[in-house]
Amino acid sequence: MIKFPAKLSTEELAERLRVTPQTVNRWIKKLGWRTEPIPGVKGGRARVIFMTPDVVEYIANTPAVLDVTTVNQIDEPARTYSTNEADRLWQQNADILQNLLPIEQQRLNALLKREGIVGFISRLGLSDKQA
């Protein structure tokens, strides 16, 4: 479920959902969402929406939100950030391995089983015993 603050302006909600502010205003009128004017904005047209459970439920079931969450899930795996150099290098290596094609992963697995880590390091030219 998407988390929202207690109140959002129509512009903020529209931006989060990748819809126009006019769409959000239509939902407010159609569904009778509770709003209040933003203090200090002339004309009284700028409003904030109270993010009540019924508002959040409606938003969660809109195609706009379903598309946004799908896009966000497809992007990249979540990264862990660390100041430890060894952890950073381990994460970089893991990222490289995850980006291999399945056939490449199978071939690498077979190579490691056949030659072990010493053979693998030697083939990469990284061993201490340089010829």
Side-chain angles (χ1 to χ4, degrees), residues 34-119:
R34 197 174 114 206
T35 65
E36 71 180 16
I38 297 175
V41 177
K42 292 183 180 180
R45 298 195 65 166
R47 306 193 69 76
V48 292
I49 304 162
F50 289 89
M51 300 307 291
T52 60
D54 60 320
V55 172
V56 173
E57 182 180 340
Y58 179 82
I59 290 169
N61 292 309
T62 62
V65 171
L66 297 175
D67 289 344
V68 168
T69 55
T70 301
V71 167
N72 289 338
Q73 290 172 359
I74 293 174
D75 285 345
E76 290 183 8
R79 300 277 190 254
T80 54
Y81 296 95
S82 173
T83 57
N84 183 334
E85 182 67 15
D87 288 346
R88 190 180 62 75
L89 291 172
W90 181 259
Q91 186 62 47
Q92 286 176 342
N93 289 326
D95 291 345
I96 291 167
L97 293 173
Q98 287 178 343
N99 288 322
L100 291 176
L101 296 173
I103 189 68
E104 293 168 333
Q105 291 174 355
Q106 291 171 355
R107 289 178 182 157
L108 178 59
N109 188 36
L111 174 81
L112 288 170
K113 285 180 180 177
R114 184 176 63 246
E115 299 193 20
I117 193 69
V118 173

